[in-house]
Amino acid sequence: MRIAVILKAVPDLVEEMELTSDGTDLDREYLKFVTNEWDEQALEEALLLKDSDGAEVVAVGMADDPDIEQALYSAVAKGADRAVTIAGATGVDTRSRAAAVAAWLKDNPADLVLSGVQAPDDLDGQLPAALGAALGLPHVSVVVSVALDGAAAIVRQEFSGGRAADLNVTLPAVLGIQVARQAPRYAPVTRVRQVMQSTTIDEASVAVDEAAAGIRVRRMYPPEKTTHAEMIDGSPAEVAARIVELLRSRSLVKG
Amino acid sequence: MRHTLASGETRQVFEGIGAVGTAAFYVLSIVTVAAFLIGSWRRTQKYRRGRPAGRGGTIRRALLVSPLALRRRPDTGSVAQVATNATIGRRNRGVGIAHFMVFWGFITLFIGTVILTIDFDIVRHVSKWFWGHEDSFFTGTFYLGYSVVLDTMGVATVLGLTYLALRRGVRPPARLDYSRAEQPAGGYSRKALVLGDWMFIGLFAGILITGFLGEAVRIVANKFPEFEIWSPAGWLLARGFEAVGLSAGAAATTHTVVWWSHAFLALGFVIYIPYSKAMHMLVDGVNLLAHDKNATRALPAPPADADHIGYRELADFTWKELLDFDACTKCGRCHEVCPARTGGAPLSPRDLILDLRQWADLQTGGKTLLDREQRPDATGPLQNGQAAVAGTVIPAKTLWSCTTCMACVEACPVGIEHVPTIVQMRRSLVDAGTMDPTLQQALQNLASQGNSFGKSARMRARWTKGLETPIKDARKEPVKYLWFVGDYASFDERLQDNSRLLATLLTKAGVDFGILYEGERNAGNDVRRVGEEGLFEMLAEQNIKSLEAAQFEEIFTTDPHSLNTLRNEYPALGATYKVWHYTELLVHLVESGALPVKPLNLRVTYHDPCYLSRYNGVIEAPRTLLAALGCELVEMPRNKTNSFCCGAGGGRIWMDDSVLSERPSENRIKEAAALEDVGHFVVSCPKDMTMYSDAAKTTGHDGTLTVLDIVRLVDQALVRPPAEPATDDVAVPV
């Protein structure tokens, strides 16, 4: 059993984002990058499967992602068996990422491919779907738990309103993980540092057709600040009255 | 001077015991000494298993370099400290005096016995071999002096022991209740611990009583030889026996019975020592001589040769730590002062040490007769060698409860160092990822952005915006003082006003200072105490890189926690600086007139931050400052090095405290609120400001008790040109 976990470095949202002068991308020069939080969930789910069923977990990142080595070392410190960076993808859009990962997976097949269901810059969660399509494999997204059952996996897919379904998926398959069965584990810095000393990240290179992206960013827009916090002054009764008024006026409560 | 056995004043050894009895006594003595040596040897073997503790220098200093040192708040031990029982008498004068009497009484009686042995078993025989007749120095003036000294010290021992027994038996302090802070699910019993205490006192008392009785009946049996008045206690007792009609013949018979009782009790006690609470008589002097508070201030780095991180098994502990376990006499001073225990957390430093002792004994086959906790199941300290010590023998929730406030180490009369041991065990919890989710988040934030708030590292100096005079960037221009601001003073919006105020005051006073701007990271003090050593190293490396690139002469900090690690732990990483606290700087500015002030005439109380007072001895500066500001300081009962922790230290500020029945900060606010006519609770630590503002609100004292940073008082007292208003009105007397 081999599980590939696709990790992506995304800007730390606590940073102030600025656009480049031509307005087509974030100014990445001074940004701090962290691992996409949903990818962290995917990694945790993979490690849980490794703990319970035994599996080789491969952490996969794109060579051009800033600080991706840090994310990969951290993944190995947590229990991943090895780490790979893929070079050759052009652009940062999801489709070309999917094409690059698919190209690598064709030569390095995995029984399960896990990725986060979405990312701050992929809110519609295209990556797992595009990956499934490119590889011609079954794909399930918004997955909240995975159990292995021979040549299949039983995955729980979450729907709106708290409903969920258990699906039986034939392996190999691509899963978009919403949340792991437990909170992502901690990677102690000492371990990460040891891993940095002892582990080599494999470097792979793939050729991806530039046209794979299919889209081109024409312009980005910074969010407009429209909301303001309202501080409510007055006696407790006045404050309560104002809160009730707000809740009613915004249709947050009935009656 | 030598006398023959027949001449002069003396008493007969083995009087009325007979040849068979004497022979039997020697056999018993040999068995006793053998049992004592075996027990002591086993204990020693246990300590020899321990890792090196690096205390050779400490012991050498205590023994040779400054054996007479007796400072008020010593960091390391000395012979004088052990000899005077100074640590026992601290904050417990009565107990100190009583223990001093028992301590020296026992030593004197022991030396007396040794002298008698030398005379009777060595000098007597040796002289016979060489000169053909039996010599003895146990006679004449020597005998009389010996008698009066031993009698007096015997009485002192009885008095001391009586005081201690009455205190324990009649109205014991709450800390002598041995109920656990952490309640094992399967229950437990500590009755044997109580029994062990009474066995110890009982054996001791028995030896003394039979000793005096034996002396008295011997004097009666010998019809009151005149010189025996030099044994005043025995003499008086003998007169008493005579008064109630004890005849010389009956006394001689009684003497044999009493003599044997004394012998059995004394020999039994000697055997009992290495297997019981009495071993503290052997262990604790050594433990005090090896004690070093600096090991708590600057935590030990993990051993370089360890194949795993943190403490997991017995082999991980140093000999000093193993000695700590055996040194504990269960006095409960740590238990009493511990903020975690006080707040209802499942941690008592005493329980921790007792559990580790019992567990270590179980691993090494150590035999403790009483003084053991019993449980219906093999949990906690009763687990076998396979159990991980951190998280199994000592539950994770217990280890996470510690605020590292050091009150336990400070209070311990026998030099036990609980905090470093707790951190070593935390290291293995961190390695296994066993921690609160909120703590994990804080550590991840610290790793990525260098602050626990998870805010962008580039926003660290944003609080300086709006200052009339911008603060110098010490990385770009030389300054005299580098202000290490710290996370809370930089990022917490409730505290940024105080930071700006301090900056304004320093500028007004003409102080040449600067900050590292986004080059500063969390100093790592609490990260290290959480047990995340790798992250501490990383943060320290980043800070040292920034500090090396900056030009300054000395550092001052707003945060006592940062002060501690910068002052005490960074030197081991190659970065040694003079580090001040801002109260020390302010007192200098006020006293020198750089900040002219007028008296405020306020009645205030002041909270000593653990990391300032207990850890680093900065006690007088804030008090001098308050006096200079015309504030009348009303001390809380727990003050200075005996200060009570706010509950935020050791990473507790990043953890969930909903398990507590009462937050330490609330306990502290209540202590302050009980002071008469005190409306101001003055703090000198940013974390204290948040902790106590919250606690004043949750305890409902926020209307009567204003929590404020000392910098606000300085600002309030400042004499300024008429046109310039005070920065705010927080400290206006009501």
Side-chain angles (χ1 to χ4, degrees), chain B residues 428-471:
Chain B
S428 90
L429 294 181
V430 168
D431 187 49
T434 312
M435 64 176 90
D436 255 23
T438 50
L439 174 60
Q440 182 170 335
Q441 187 59 56
L443 294 178
Q444 281 162 351
N445 292 340
L446 283 157
S448 63
Q449 298 286 5
N451 67 78
S452 60
F453 290 78
K455 294 195 178 163
S456 166
R458 289 190 298 156
M459 302 297 149
R460 182 171 279 274
R462 176 164 277 197
W463 64 271
T464 61
K465 279 196 176 169
L467 282 173
E468 260 177 49
T469 315
I471 300 178

Side-chain angles (χ1 to χ4, degrees), chain B residues 7-71:
Chain B
S7 76
E9 301 87 354
T10 188
R11 69 176 165 88
Q12 219 187 313
V13 185
F14 294 113
E15 182 170 330
I17 301 305
V20 177
T22 305
F25 178 80
Y26 275 99
V27 172
L28 287 175
S29 296
I30 290 164
V31 171
T32 299
V33 171
F36 172 82
L37 289 178
I38 290 169
S40 304
W41 183 76
R42 290 179 76 137
R43 294 262 163 223
T44 319
Q45 283 305 102
K46 183 168 103 181
Y47 312 139
R48 287 167 60 98
R49 287 173 60 136
R51 273 196 305 116
R55 296 295 168 93
T58 311
I59 296 175
R60 249 193 318 282
R61 266 195 306 282
L63 281 178
L64 306 171
V65 182
S66 51
L68 299 178
L70 243 191
R71 283 149 295 163

Side-chain angles (χ1 to χ4, degrees), chain B residues 520-536:
Chain B
E520 184 184 306
R521 293 281 177 280
N522 180 297
N525 188 71
D526 300 275
V527 169
R528 189 170 213 199
R529 277 146 188 86
V530 156
E532 192 10 327
E533 185 71 7
L535 184 53
F536 163 73

Side-chain angles (χ1 to χ4, degrees), chain A residues 8 16 43 50 70-71 110 126 157-158 191-192 195 209 226-227 230 246-247 249-250:
Chain A
K8 181 183 201 176
E16 271 187 16
L43 174 65
K50 178 185 172 178
Q70 202 54 41
Q126 289 189 22
Q157 186 177 38
E158 201 175 71
R191 286 206 173 222
V192 177
V195 165
D209 185 0
T226 53
T227 53
E230 179 188 339
L246 282 170
L247 292 173
S249 67
R250 312 220 170 154

